């Protein structure tokens, strides 16, 4: 920024907190820390060791620039380009839904089902965070010959998923995971035909109703991909399609595991039971709200 002067690090951080607070950014202090570390490399420990240190002009410019972007309610993760999920760092951008902590509950439930020689399917895979986390955990736990497929209608999203695959698995990535472009089941049918079967199908589909989208935080409403949010008029559009077709793609005794909105547990449970699933269970998140639903198909 033209005319920017050197600034004490504590002054820069305090100024950032004030600006973010004025802009209505949630948790401005926390975001100011993340931006400070991202732009300057200064950790919180280093800050407290020497808060009066003068920031060089180039660091000050970078920091004030990213603060300005966050003031515009651009998501922090779109500025830094990464998001932690299940202990792994994933690349993200405007083409993918930013991985959220609530979705870790879905992964944790799925982890308990992982066994040797399994084939997984992740519908609406986006950044690939769900599928890749499951495969990475399986690898770390010595679960052998496990592979997965992720599908998404967005080719741009799958470019990010491919990059994340390379970051987590390197040259072994193509053995572990495959990403296919298309609408839900379509790319599976096109490449593998009607006989392809999976041990476990997971998905965090779009589930926000049209009316609810208008009330979301600016960071979500304006910057997350609309197609990753829009679940139709009642938010259940994708659940009907996924649950209705899942029995055709599950092995006998296979499990369907879905993230759901906090008010959708009963409605999605009915859809699953009507489709022939049993042992249908709704799992709550840390706030006590419905978050994940699972069911076994054995018909």
């Amino acid at each position: 920024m033209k005319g920017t002067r050197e600034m004490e690090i504590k002054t820069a951080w305090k100024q950032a907190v004030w600006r973010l607070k004025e802009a209505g950014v949630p948790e401005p202090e926390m975001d100011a820390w993340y931006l400070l570390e991202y732009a300057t490399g200064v950790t919180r420990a280093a800050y407290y060791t020497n808060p009066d240190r003068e920031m060089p002009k180039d660091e000050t410019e970078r920091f004030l620039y990213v603060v300005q972007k966050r003031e515009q309610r651009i998501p922090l993760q779109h500025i830094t380009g990464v998001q932690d999920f299940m202990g792994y760092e994933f690349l993200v951008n405007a083409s993918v839904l930013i991985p959220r902590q609530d979705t870790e509950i879905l992964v944790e439930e799925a982890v308990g089902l992982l066994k040797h020689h399994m084939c997984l399917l992740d519908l609406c895979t986006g950044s690939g965070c769900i599928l890749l986390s499951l495969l990475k955990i399986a690898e770390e736990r010595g679960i052998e010959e496990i592979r997965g497929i992720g599908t998404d209608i967005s080719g741009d999203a799958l470019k990010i998923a491919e990059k994340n695959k390379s970051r987590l698995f390197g040259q072994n990535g193509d053995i572990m995971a495959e990403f296919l472009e298309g609408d839900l089941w379509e790319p599976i049918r096109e490449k593998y035909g009607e006989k392809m079967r999976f041990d476990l199908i997971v998905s965090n589909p779009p589930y926000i109703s049209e009316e609810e989208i208008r009330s979301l935080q600016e960071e979500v409403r304006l910057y997350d991909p609309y197609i990753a949010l829009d679940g139709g008029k009642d938010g259940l559009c994708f659940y009907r399609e996924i649950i209705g077709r899942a029995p055709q793609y599950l092995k006998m005794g296979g499990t369907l595991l879905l993230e759901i909105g906090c008010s959708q547990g009963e409605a999605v449970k009915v859809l699953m039971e009507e489709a022939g699933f049993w042992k249908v269970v709704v799992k709550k998140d840390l706030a006590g709200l419905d978050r994940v639903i699972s069911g076994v198909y054995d018909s």
Side-chain angles (χ1 to χ4, degrees), residues 119-121 147-151 165 174-181 184-198 248-249:
C119 190
L120 318 179
L121 174 62
R147 62 184 294 264
I149 298 174
T151 71
K165 178 176 74 173
D174 289 337
I175 299 173
M176 302 294 292
E178 177 182 17
F179 293 107
L180 302 176
E181 183 178 350
L184 296 177
W185 314 100
E186 179 183 299
I188 301 297
R189 289 197 304 269
E190 289 180 353
K191 182 162 186 179
Y192 294 103
E194 298 288 345
K195 294 185 179 180
M196 185 66 175
R197 296 292 184 272
F198 298 90
Q248 301 173 35
Y249 293 90

Side-chain angles (χ1 to χ4, degrees), residues 117-183:
H117 313 290
M118 288 186 79
C119 190
L120 318 179
L121 174 62
D122 178 19
L123 299 169
C124 309
T125 194
S127 65
C129 66
I130 294 174
L131 179 64
L132 295 174
S133 294
L134 287 170
L135 295 176
K136 190 65 179 177
I137 291 168
E139 181 184 65
E140 292 171 350
R141 295 187 178 185
I143 300 174
E144 300 176 351
E145 294 188 35
I146 185 167
R147 62 184 294 264
I149 298 174
T151 71
D152 202 288
I153 199 169
S154 169
D156 289 335
L158 293 184
K159 290 176 184 176
I160 298 297
E162 288 286 353
K163 289 180 180 179
N164 283 322
K165 178 176 74 173
S166 297
R167 283 164 64 92
L168 261 68
F169 295 102
Q171 294 182 345
N172 196 38
D174 289 337
I175 299 173
M176 302 294 292
E178 177 182 17
F179 293 107
L180 302 176
E181 183 178 350
D183 188 12

